Amino acid sequence: MELNARIPSGPLAEKWDNHKFSAKLVNPANRRKFKVIVVGTGLAGAAASATLAEQGYKVSTFCIHDSPRRAHSIAAQGGINAAKNYQTDGDSVFRLFYDTIKGGDFRAREANVYRLAQVSNNIIDQCVAQGVPFAREYGGSLANRSFGGAQVSRTFYARGQTGQQLLLGAYSALSRQIHNGGVTMFNRREMMDLVVIDGQARGIITRNLINGNLESHWADAVLLCTGGYGNVYFLSTNAMASNVTAAWRAYKHGAGFANPSFVQIHPTCIPVHGDYQSKLTLMSESLRNDGRVWVPKNKGDKRKPADIPEEERDYYLENKYPSFGNLVPRDVASRNAKEQCDQGKGVGSTGLAVYLDFADAIKRDGEETILRKYGNLFQMYEKITDSSPLEEPMTIYPAVHYTMGGLWVDYNLMTTIPGLFALGECNFSDHGANRLGASALMQGLADGYFVIPTAIGNYFGESSIAPVNDSDEAFINAQQQVGDRLNKLLQNSSGGVGGKVTVDEIHKELGRLLWDNCGMARNKEGLEMALKKLPEIRQKFWDKVYIPGSGSDLNQTLERAGRVADFLEFGEIMIHDALNRAESCGCHLREESQTEENEAKRDDENYSYVSVWEYQGDDVEPKMHKEDLTFEYVTPSQRSYK
Amino acid sequence: MSNIDLTLQIWRQKNSDALGKLETYTLDKISTDMSFLEMLDVLNEKLTMEGIEPVAFDHDCREGICGMCGAVINGVAHGPEKETTLCQLHMRHFKTGDVLVIEPFRSRAFPIKKDLVVDRSAFDKIIQAGGYVSVNTGGTPDGNAIPISSHIAELAMDAAACIGCGACVASCPNGAAMLFTSAKISQLCLLPQGHAERKKRALSMVETMDKEGFGNCTNLRECEAVCPKSISIRNIARLNREFVRAAFSEG
Amino acid sequence: MWLLRFSTSSIGKKILMASSGLLLILFLVAHAAGNAAIFFGSNAFQTYADTLHSLPVVVFVFGVGLFAVLIVHIFIGIQLFLQNRKETASRYAVSTKVCENTLASSTMPYTGLLLLLFLLVHVFGFGVNPTDTKVSVLVVNLLGNFFYGLFYLFSFCVLAVHLSHGFWSMLQTFGFNHPRYNDGIMKITYIVPGFFLVFFGAITLYFMTGLGANY
Ligand SMILES: Cc1cc2nc3c(=O)[nH]c(=O)nc-3n(C[C@H](O)[C@H](O)[C@H](O)COP(=O)(O)OP(=O)(O)OC[C@H]3O[C@@H](n4cnc5c(N)ncnc54)[C@H](O)[C@@H]3O)c2cc1C
Ligand code: HEM
Ligand code: FES
């Protein structure tokens, strides 16, 4: 596997412009001869579909839901960053670039991140033009807030529903293209496999989720916009249908998988309640602007929060990080919450929670002001927990939220398989070892609206692509294999050897294994143990999993089983990756690599690279390749938020 | 936290062509902290172990924003709690002994696919007919080029909050889609960006709405009452104005 | 043709319904103003009736206009009723209405038909008048009959119910809906039907109770 990032030459600030100029173009009249497949309709997929169709390519778009508007991006709450510097508080493209690189703990590519910061401004203009109702000042200009530990106000937002509004904007552009005939939309389709012909990505196999039919679709390029894999942990803030299948199938066809162990654990989520818990709910990070995080000073203190006097409370973030206080980056906040709970100071019925207290903010600003800022979040919290944050501190605990790892891509978002592109959370590109708040939406839209058009023109311009057809042997074979695999899953429908287990039981077992050993803190011993344990769970799955119903019908258990089967394989490279990276960086804390003050200790000498995993065959250890990271414009420093 | 015992009557239908009927299941020791969908998960795990096909139901975000979930609980779309999607409804609103009749969102325009799963793609068709501002990617003016008062932005946001779940249609005795259509039209006619196409948009979206088999609005207000995002019928009034204005001066 | 397209679209039909409803309300207002003459004695009333009949053109135009408006109102009302019935009321095993005021709103077609019945009775009673009886006498004869009067009272109640949804609904259809005025609109929605009920009801009771016997 050759890892050529194809970073354009020239000074950092000119790379993107240089690249746009030197990239090959496809003449507008010829574009309709190229067919592009887009899988997933989140920000990245919807934006890419719309834009490529506007430019004249023939686009086929696939979504797993009954409508493209429901993709997982819809759930993003907080906002989207851009370097507009509308507040004249010292922001700039370079500062956004710098913050993102630093926030990612110096494990991202400079050139990509700089481009992201540049394009961020175009995104806001684009969304405003589409009619996205961003929050406004009284005078009519766009409002901003500071978010996720940034020291400037650069986050644009639409109430607590920014992801929804941005996605609906992209969905509307997509709808326009469906209406104009530029995009053919396939709803309720799940991509089951990738078809590679002569080394190029040439199509996909999908399953029609309503009638179970397997379908072949050819194209000249395939764009995976299928989001992150946080659901490998079973419990995460991701939507239930988010999964790794598309990326995993690509990996098995030779696409490199980069930094799979980089998973962001968000500090402010509603704690787990019971075994039946199906997913976790994020409480926007903005709450940390006014809420104070604390635990009782004494272990096992079971008093009600109101009964614990001020001097017996430990505002551990404020004490430990005086200059950032409650606003430290996500990884730091999460890790500290875990530390407190591990010490037995956790609160709530499970002891796995800390308080986020608004009493002081309410005293200072009044209930009305606080409600204006967080009213809908408080309401949501109360709906779920039956407790009002106005009367009692919230309880929060970290939860899996975002995956920085993903398919390895070059500067053009192309994976190691020519013609296969990965956009949005599905790729690994811009966030290094930790993502800053409000940057994922920015990246998804940057990739979809602004980067992919140039990239795809360049690919079509420089490659020779032979004609193929859905009825080619490669498609027939691939479809056959997908069918066989589904049949294998259904084999146990009569109950396997030694009783039945359900898909969710296995998924929970996998999730627990990863959460305990490859979650917020990792160590060699635990990882090695997990690596041994994982194949056992996988075996149990194939032996005993019980799936009622048939494959020629709407069968949600079968759908989940297919996804879990891939998670069970995928988990292994996550663990390999975590094991390989013996340093701590960003969200990846190896307990062996900490400073004296228990902060993550990076090891630039040995680990300043992207780890890229290559498939070597089932049950064969994957091979790791390195893309070395070089920093010309920023100097990696030990992150310190003290 | 406590536990409750329930009797469920759930609509079971194999596919769009099959005939369906209500099946009765009992479920014991349901934690009141569960969400409604988690309760259905528990039921499905139980059915699976008993060798019965689980109940198919749509869902994804489980946070009340994707608009994927929805069913009619004892005659009310999304259940008894106001401004709440089914996934955000918690079992503490029920008590031991309750009988819950769970039916899919029914409407001529929403054919049932299986059990509680319906096809709402008619909504997509309405949006495709004009629920957008016709701008291509790139070449747009600076975001601050057109000032928009925060009041107008907020009104537009009120309308834009629609999650397209279809509860309005499911609860409307006429099966009308006016609340859904008016929400999109309102958002875009309030904002200056949408002005250039407002007449064409109103005409073609309403035409598509009628063609897709939705009923006629008779101002019964059920839609507003069940809407999980409290979209107001003020938007319908606005749509009516938009439509009349367009019909008399365009086309 | 744009007008045809407009009037067959769902919103166009609503607008026609509301417009014809408005004209009917205006007619009722005019009618009430005329009938106010009753309270000024039989001579005044007779003069009013005679003046009206001395202007056959006006009567004809109003008559035809009213008839046309009624036809539109009834025709579209029935059309809406039939179309909306495709969504059967029994589509759910349990059906629960979440809204208030469902009595008036869900019975519009039925209250409407009752009003049609009343109109027929009323027009045949007063309009088609073969015996050349003076109107001021006719009214005593007809409304003096207990059952006839009762039917009138009942119909006015029906009208009140029809309008207790209809008036607000009409304004909503025309696009009047603003948080600042909605309370006021709701009040008027009860005042207007209330006024008609009290006014026409009073006339009827005046004759029914015998107060107007020696009119
Ligand atoms: C609760 C929450 C809040 C967040 N808040 C913010 C925020 O405030 N700011 C911010 O910047 N970021 C936020 N994020 C992160 C951000 O929302 C995501 O990273 C981003 O939306 C990902 O967009 P995407 O287009 O790459 O993928 P997605 O939106 O995840 O879309 C991918 C879609 O593809 C579908 N799919 C997957 N596999 C297949 C397959 N095989 N076949 C067909 N379809 C498939 C998935 O179901 C999914 O719908 C938040 C995330 C969560 C979970
Ligand atoms: C003097 C008599 C009448 C008056 C003043 C009147 C007035 C109104 C008004 C104001 C409306 C509301 C329109 C809207 O919703 O926008 C209405 C609705 C309606 N009327 Fe009448 N009406 C009268 C007679 C009738 C008759 C005779 C019928 C016979 C069928 C009828 C049937 C209906 C129906 C079905 C509606 C409901 C339409 C809808 O909700 O969209 N009305 N009426
Ligand atoms: S599952 Fe997304 S709104 Fe309920």
Side-chain angles (χ1 to χ4, degrees):
Chain A
M1 179 179 291
E2 193 209 352
L3 298 176
N4 180 358
R6 307 229 292 174
I7 294 168
S9 56
L12 188 62
E14 289 165 25
K15 283 184 195 294
W16 177 227
D17 286 336
N18 288 347
H19 181 65
K20 278 192 287 186
F21 180 72
S22 61
K24 298 271 187 319
L25 299 174
V26 180
N27 168 322
N30 277 339
R31 290 184 198 149
R32 80 177 89 90
K33 295 184 191 147
F34 290 98
K35 193 171 151 195
V36 181
I37 280 178
V38 180
V39 188
T41 55
L43 290 182
S49 305
T51 307
L52 294 179
E54 283 161 11
Q55 301 196 340
Y57 297 104
K58 262 178 74 180
V59 180
S60 294
T61 302
F62 295 82
C63 94
I64 211 164
H65 303 102
D66 66 333
S67 159
R69 66 181 291 153
R70 309 206 195 280
H72 162 64
S73 294
I74 200 115
Q77 304 170 347
I80 177 168
N81 285 334
K84 283 283 194 187
N85 193 27
Y86 282 155
Q87 312 304 327
T88 31
D89 55 358
D91 201 6
S92 63
V93 168
F94 195 85
R95 187 178 294 280
L96 176 54
F97 154 75
Y98 178 79
D99 287 355
T100 308
I101 288 275
K102 179 182 172 210
D105 219 1
F106 306 96
R107 289 293 173 264
R109 230 183 251 153
E110 277 187 338
N112 283 57
V113 177
Y114 195 85
R115 173 179 66 191
L116 176 65
Q118 279 177 303
V119 166
S120 68
N121 289 339
N122 306 53
I123 295 173
I124 300 304
D125 300 342
Q126 186 63 34
C127 295
V128 168
Q130 287 170 343
V132 170
F134 283 121
R136 301 267 171 173
E137 305 291 352
Y138 286 115
S141 56
L142 289 159
N144 289 120
R145 60 178 167 211
S146 86
F147 195 75
Q151 284 170 311
V152 290
S153 263
R154 63 158 75 101
T155 304
F156 295 78
Y157 61 99
R159 294 202 188 138
Q161 289 139 274
T162 317
Q164 179 200 26
Q165 293 310 313
L166 295 176
L167 183 64
L168 292 183
Y171 159 77
S172 71
L174 169 62
S175 296
R176 174 169 161 247
Q177 291 310 315
I178 297 172
H179 185 70
N180 294 347
V183 174
T184 313
M185 188 69 223
F186 296 87
N187 292 344
R188 293 213 195 254
R189 298 298 201 291
E190 179 161 12
M191 169 180 160
M192 306 301 285
D193 210 349
L194 178 74
V195 178
V196 179
I197 300 177
D198 295 335
Q200 291 170 321
R202 294 313 302 273
I204 58 172
I205 308 295
T206 58
R207 179 166 182 270
N208 179 327
L209 299 180
I210 294 295
N211 58 24
N213 287 347
L214 296 178
E215 305 154 332
S216 294
H217 302 272
W218 71 271
D220 299 298
V222 175
L223 274 49
L224 297 187
C225 311
T226 48
Y229 50 83
N231 277 345
V232 67
Y233 291 90
F234 186 72
L235 285 182
S236 84
T237 62
N238 285 12
M240 304 296 284
S242 296
N243 69 92
V244 79
T245 293
W248 190 245
R249 300 281 119 201
Y251 165 81
K252 287 190 136 184
H253 283 282
F257 209 111
N259 298 336
S261 69
F262 285 178
V263 175
Q264 181 169 74
I265 313 238
H266 196 290
T268 50
C269 301
I270 300 181
V272 176
H273 280 269
D275 290 340
Y276 50 82
Q277 184 105 23
S278 58
K279 77 156 288 200
L280 294 169
T281 303
L282 175 80
M283 288 278 103
S284 170
E285 184 154 43
S286 58
L287 290 169
R288 283 199 281 144
N289 286 337
D290 284 294
R292 300 180 68 195
V293 177
W294 64 275
V295 290
K297 275 193 180 142
N298 304 322
K299 285 182 193 172
D301 191 337
K302 287 283 165 213
R303 283 177 290 174
K304 282 209 178 114
D307 299 337
I308 302 179
E310 204 57 34
E311 49 307 341
E312 288 177 44
R313 300 176 175 192
D314 183 5
Y315 294 89
Y316 56 90
L317 288 178
E318 294 171 21
N319 297 340
K320 220 163 145 188
Y321 309 98
S323 64
F324 277 78
N326 295 298
L327 293 174
V328 291
R330 292 176 178 176
D331 51 338
V332 180
S334 294
R335 214 145 46 222
N336 277 282
K338 175 179 156 53
E339 207 175 285
Q340 298 298 330
C341 295
D342 287 350
Q343 288 172 16
K345 296 185 190 166
V347 300
S349 56
T350 55
L352 288 177
V354 299
Y355 289 125
L356 181 65
D357 199 339
F358 291 88
D360 288 338
I362 293 170
K363 223 178 285 162
R364 186 184 64 223
D365 300 340
E367 213 168 278
E368 204 179 314
T369 311
I370 294 299
L371 277 180
R372 198 167 336 113
K373 282 194 200 164
Y374 309 114
N376 57 346
L377 293 170
F378 282 15
Q379 219 181 352
M380 185 157 151
Y381 179 85
E382 190 170 351
K383 227 174 238 176
I384 295 175
T385 62
D386 205 24
S387 134
S388 163
L390 291 176
E391 284 148 26
E392 234 180 22
M394 275 185 177
T395 54
I396 52 164
Y397 198 66
V400 173
H401 177 58
Y402 182 88
T403 54
M404 280 74 67
L407 291 175
W408 183 90
V409 291
D410 65 12
Y411 189 74
N412 280 319
L413 305 182
M414 191 154 85
T415 65
T416 52
I417 300 175
L420 179 71
F421 295 80
L423 284 68
E425 193 174 338
C426 182
N427 72 28
F428 88 108
S429 65
D430 298 344
H431 306 293
N434 176 47
R435 175 176 71 80
L436 288 184
S439 304
L441 300 180
M442 169 170 79
Q443 184 223 335
L445 290 179
D447 288 357
Y449 283 134
F450 297 106
V451 181
I452 198 66
T454 306
I456 215 133
N458 188 56
Y459 172 70
F460 290 148
E462 69 177 15
S463 330
S464 70
I465 302 172
V468 294
N469 201 299
D470 294 349
S471 50
D472 286 356
E473 208 178 297
F475 283 94
I476 294 172
N477 288 344
Q479 202 168 313
Q480 184 69 42
Q481 277 169 19
V482 171
D484 290 347
R485 194 174 134 91
L486 289 171
N487 286 336
K488 197 173 156 206
L489 283 169
L490 286 164
Q491 247 168 27
N492 296 343
S493 284
S494 50
V497 275
K500 315 172 191 177
V501 291
T502 64
V503 177
D504 277 6
E505 282 175 85
I506 298 275
H507 196 172
K508 285 180 189 176
E509 197 174 338
L510 168 69
R512 223 169 297 127
L513 181 77
L514 290 175
W515 177 248
D516 290 343
N517 299 292
C518 195
M520 264 190 286
R522 298 131 183 218
N523 59 46
K524 187 154 182 280
E525 203 185 341
L527 289 166
E528 280 172 347
M529 189 278 285
L531 205 52
K532 269 212 226 66
K533 191 96 203 324
L534 191 56
E536 290 167 24
I537 305 180
R538 198 156 55 218
Q539 197 55 45
K540 180 156 128 201
F541 174 83
W542 286 105
D543 285 346
K544 295 193 189 174
V545 76
Y546 174 66
I547 301 160
S550 80
S552 57
D553 193 1
L554 176 61
N555 187 338
Q556 294 174 320
T557 319
L558 179 63
E559 293 168 25
R560 269 182 293 135
R563 294 168 201 156
V564 171
D566 286 335
F567 279 139
L568 283 166
E569 296 178 7
F570 169 73
E572 205 159 303
I573 67 164
M574 271 182 87
I575 303 174
H576 275 300
D577 191 51
L579 204 50
N580 165 69
R581 196 173 283 277
E583 65 162 351
S584 295
C585 63
C587 64
H588 170 68
L589 181 87
R590 276 294 293 267
E591 286 168 353
E592 300 90 335
S593 174
Q594 303 192 51
T595 63
E596 268 123 59
E597 294 148 311
N598 282 343
E599 297 296 326
K601 197 166 109 205
R602 229 176 43 231
D603 177 358
D604 288 337
E605 195 116 337
N606 296 308
Y607 292 99
S608 183
Y609 61 75
V610 177
S611 45
V612 186
W613 298 86
E614 185 183 10
Y615 178 66
Q616 300 289 313
D618 286 331
D619 303 319
V620 182
E621 207 166 292
K623 189 164 161 204
M624 194 196 73
H625 302 264
K626 295 177 186 175
E627 181 201 339
D628 286 317
L629 293 169
T630 45
F631 294 92
E632 290 178 62
Y633 296 86
V634 296
T635 324
S637 55
Q638 195 69 40
R639 279 190 322 168
S640 167
Y641 291 94
K642 293 245 158 175
Chain B
M1 193 190 88
S2 56
N3 289 328
I4 53 175
D5 303 338
L6 297 169
T7 305
L8 307 173
Q9 293 184 4
I10 304 182
W11 185 260
R12 303 302 308 258
Q13 179 172 339
K14 186 129 186 57
N15 53 47
S16 3
D17 304 325
L19 284 176
K21 65 172 196 300
L22 286 172
E23 297 276 1
T24 306
Y25 307 100
T26 55
L27 210 48
D28 293 343
K29 301 221 174 49
I30 289 300
S31 155
T32 49
D33 275 344
M34 275 186 204
S35 72
F36 200 89
L37 299 189
E38 282 167 347
M39 183 275 289
L40 288 181
D41 289 341
V42 170
L43 172 72
N44 277 346
E45 289 284 293
K46 183 178 150 202
L47 292 181
T48 303
M49 291 319 280
E50 289 168 5
I52 303 171
E53 242 195 281
V55 180
F57 65 94
D58 265 331
H59 62 104
D60 195 24
C61 72
R62 299 207 173 187
E63 284 188 16
I65 193 76
C66 73
M68 191 83 182
C69 67
V72 172
I73 314 302
N74 289 344
V76 182
H78 288 304
E81 178 83 342
K82 268 204 175 312
E83 295 178 24
T84 306
T85 54
L86 195 60
C87 57
Q88 291 290 84
L89 174 67
H90 283 75
M91 297 314 290
R92 65 181 74 94
H93 299 287
F94 301 97
K95 55 184 191 311
T96 288
D98 278 356
V99 179
L100 305 183
V101 182
I102 307 172
E103 299 176 81
F105 279 177
R106 292 181 195 275
S107 157
R108 262 189 321 142
F110 291 170
I112 295 177
K113 289 294 168 190
K114 182 171 185 172
D115 299 343
L116 305 175
V117 175
V118 299
D119 178 7
R120 288 164 290 195
S121 46
F123 271 5
D124 284 332
K125 300 259 172 53
I126 296 177
I127 300 294
Q128 284 157 19
Y132 40 75
V133 176
S134 297
V135 286
N136 284 354
T137 302
T140 48
D142 184 80
N144 261 345
I146 326 165
I148 299 172
S149 82
S150 70
H151 171 66
I152 292 294
E154 290 297 309
L155 279 181
M157 184 61 219
D158 285 343
C162 169
I163 58 174
C165 62
C168 45
V169 176
S171 64
C172 174
N174 309 322
M178 285 287 274
L179 195 63
F180 172 80
T181 307
S182 70
K184 187 45 75 182
I185 291 204
S186 284
Q187 178 201 346
L188 295 178
C189 78
L190 282 161
L191 296 171
Q193 296 92 310
H195 282 187
E197 301 167 273
R198 66 195 294 178
K199 291 181 181 168
K200 201 170 141 260
R201 175 182 308 121
L203 292 178
S204 61
M205 283 180 75
V206 170
E207 191 188 324
T208 307
M209 176 179 85
D210 293 349
K211 219 166 47 203
E212 289 297 319
F214 293 104
N216 304 287
C217 170
T218 55
N219 298 333
L220 298 176
R221 312 188 78 150
E222 287 289 330
C223 53
E224 174 183 68
V226 299
C227 175
K229 298 291 141 181
S230 39
I231 309 279
S232 157
I233 57 162
R234 188 179 174 195
N235 293 299
I236 297 184
R238 207 178 274 124
L239 165 60
N240 290 340
R241 296 200 300 269
E242 282 292 299
F243 181 78
V244 171
R245 184 133 61 114
F248 280 84
S249 60
E250 173 117 351
Chain C
M1 222 263 290
W2 74 269
L3 194 60
L4 186 70
R5 241 184 304 139
F6 171 76
S7 42
T8 52
S9 71
S10 58
I11 300 182
K13 278 182 284 200
K14 285 289 297 171
I15 298 287
L16 288 176
M17 205 64 206
S19 311
S20 53
L22 175 67
L23 291 173
L24 290 173
I25 291 175
L26 290 178
F27 164 75
L28 286 183
V29 171
H31 198 348
N35 285 0
I38 285 180
F39 294 113
F40 297 98
S42 75
N43 285 340
F45 186 49
Q46 193 55 48
T47 319
Y48 154 73
D50 291 344
T51 320
L52 211 59
H53 284 274
S54 67
L55 300 166
V57 185
V58 175
V59 174
F60 182 75
V61 170
F62 263 85
V64 170
L66 184 64
F67 185 69
V69 167
L70 256 179
I71 290 293
V72 168
H73 195 77
I74 295 169
F75 179 75
I76 299 182
I78 292 177
Q79 200 188 2
L80 284 176
F81 174 66
L82 292 178
Q83 282 179 356
N84 286 339
R85 234 180 28 160
K86 287 190 197 149
E87 202 70 86
T88 51
S90 63
R91 64 180 152 151
Y92 295 115
V94 180
S95 74
T96 313
K97 293 268 175 298
V98 189
C99 265
E100 338 80 60
N101 196 28
T102 42
L103 173 72
S105 58
S106 57
T107 53
M108 289 303 271
Y110 310 110
T111 49
L113 283 175
L114 285 174
L115 288 179
L116 181 63
L117 180 68
F118 168 75
L119 282 173
L120 292 176
V121 170
H122 183 60
V123 168
F124 277 101
F126 286 89
V128 191
N129 185 357
T131 54
D132 246 357
T133 329
K134 282 187 162 184
V135 178
S136 51
V137 178
L138 194 64
V139 77
V140 182
N141 289 347
L142 287 178
L143 293 185
N145 179 318
F146 178 74
F147 290 105
Y148 209 89
L150 202 62
F151 173 68
Y152 264 56
L153 279 183
F154 169 72
S155 299
F156 295 143
C157 290
V158 170
L159 175 68
V161 172
H162 194 73
L163 286 182
S164 71
H165 173 71
F167 189 82
W168 166 81
S169 176
M170 171 187 82
L171 291 179
Q172 162 75 12
T173 301
F174 285 143
F176 294 99
N177 183 324
H178 190 290
R180 189 181 303 159
Y181 306 114
N182 282 350
D183 281 349
I185 290 178
M186 260 2 246
K187 279 194 198 106
I188 303 177
T189 298
Y190 291 112
I191 292 173
V192 169
F195 166 77
F196 286 133
L197 179 61
V198 170
F199 186 87
F200 290 121
I203 294 177
T204 313
L205 285 173
Y206 183 57
F207 293 107
M208 269 176 87
T209 52
L211 276 178
N214 35 16
Y215 196 68

